[in-house]
Amino acid sequence: GGIITQTPKFLIGQEGQKLTLKCQQNFNHDTMYWYRQDSGKGLRLIYYSITENDLQKGDLSEGYDASREKKSSFSLTVTSAQKNEMAVFLCASSIAGVDTQYFGPGTRLLVL
Amino acid sequence: SQLAEENSWALSVHEGESVTVNCSYKTSITALQWYRQKSGKGPAQLILIRSNEREKRNGRLRATLDTSSQSSSLSITATRCEDTAVYFCATDPTSNTNKVVFGTGTRLQVLP
């Protein structure tokens, strides 16, 4: 088995600040994803990456950057945090072209 | 509009009862997945059912898929308090096998 680690677990920032969330997986999966989950809502795809150094925009990419410098890690940057972005950010990984996604526990973002 | 969505926002049953969560979707799919998310955790896959399958079981769980009506159901028999969670359906669109579209989720509470 494998595991997905997300750091930090909680991230508190100021409005307008640039904030970075990190994700590591040891499944050796090709594809990694970042989702945003607002309270009581479903998951919305921000970015995904099908291999090292690849980036693909999801439905909610505006206001975010992502980086996949290694196969095992995928980071997400909130370029200018806004108060309406308080949410849980979930990282996931999967084998390329295969459906099952494995999720990390999430990073909860709070913007003051 | 949602490309995949569960038909009820919340359900409540008593332990030992059976419950069914329904999902409808709007695009051609290669597969449909059901995920469960417990409080404070990331989603975890329960069942994956491919477009050429009509039913799939996993212990107390049974998923059905009707591609003609673009709908799926997840039934849980002999529910337990630990089944309390949010249940998501997620579709694998034919148009992009690297993306999964999540519904907004159904919150299930199993009461003692």
Side-chain angles (χ1 to χ4, degrees):
Chain A
I3 192 167
I4 294 186
T5 305
Q6 291 189 240
T7 55
K9 189 169 181 178
F10 296 96
L11 181 57
I12 300 174
Q14 299 290 328
E15 195 169 19
Q17 193 176 358
K18 185 174 177 180
L19 301 167
T20 298
L21 294 71
K22 293 187 183 294
C23 176
Q24 296 265 350
Q25 54 98 358
N26 64 1
F27 288 100
N28 199 34
H29 284 164
D30 297 297
T31 309
M32 295 186 74
Y33 307 82
W34 275 107
Y35 292 91
R36 172 174 155 176
Q37 185 174 33
D38 292 276
S39 181
K41 304 261 178 83
L43 282 65
R44 290 186 286 174
L45 183 64
I46 305 172
Y47 268 98
Y48 67 103
S49 166
I50 61 174
T51 189
E52 188 177 321
N53 293 319
D54 174 73
L55 288 176
Q56 307 282 340
K57 291 184 177 181
D59 302 319
L60 201 66
S61 60
E62 190 166 334
Y64 302 94
D65 286 328
S67 174
R68 182 92 182 274
E69 292 166 355
K70 292 192 300 184
K71 187 176 183 179
S72 62
S73 67
F74 194 28
S75 60
L76 180 74
T77 298
V78 182
T79 55
S80 177
Q82 303 298 314
K83 285 197 175 177
N84 65 3
E85 284 184 295
M86 285 185 283
V88 174
F89 291 82
L90 292 163
C91 175
S93 71
S94 71
I95 299 172
V98 175
D99 330 80
T100 303
Q101 294 188 17
Y102 297 85
F103 283 83
T107 291
R108 185 172 294 275
L109 174 65
L110 176 63
V111 181
L112 303 175
Chain B
S1 60
Q2 295 286 335
L3 293 178
E5 57 187 6
E6 297 78 10
N7 295 351
S8 299
W9 186 78
L11 295 169
S12 179
V13 296
H14 288 279
E15 224 176 359
E17 294 178 340
S18 297
V19 66
T20 297
V21 180
N22 295 302
C23 166
S24 57
Y25 59 91
K26 298 177 181 174
T27 60
S28 173
I29 63 170
T30 59
L32 185 143
Q33 306 177 60
W34 283 96
Y35 284 82
R36 175 173 65 191
Q37 185 178 26
K38 295 194 174 185
S39 181
K41 309 276 187 190
Q45 190 199 63
L46 299 173
I47 289 182
L48 184 154
I49 182 164
R50 301 214 177 272
S51 58
N52 61 352
E53 297 175 309
R54 291 296 165 258
E55 179 182 299
K56 201 87 170 274
R57 291 178 185 266
N58 178 9
R60 296 181 293 112
L61 307 176
R62 173 178 169 260
T64 65
L65 180 64
D66 184 342
T67 52
S68 61
S69 63
Q70 295 189 311
S71 64
S72 175
S73 68
L74 175 71
S75 298
I76 308 173
T77 56
T79 54
R80 305 168 182 165
C81 288
E82 53 263 38
D83 293 327
T84 293
V86 179
Y87 291 79
F88 294 97
C89 67
T91 52
D92 301 19
T94 306
S95 59
N96 186 335
T97 55
N98 285 302
K99 285 176 72 172
V100 168
V101 179
F102 283 83
T104 51
T106 292
R107 190 171 298 272
L108 172 66
Q109 184 173 27
V110 181
L111 303 166

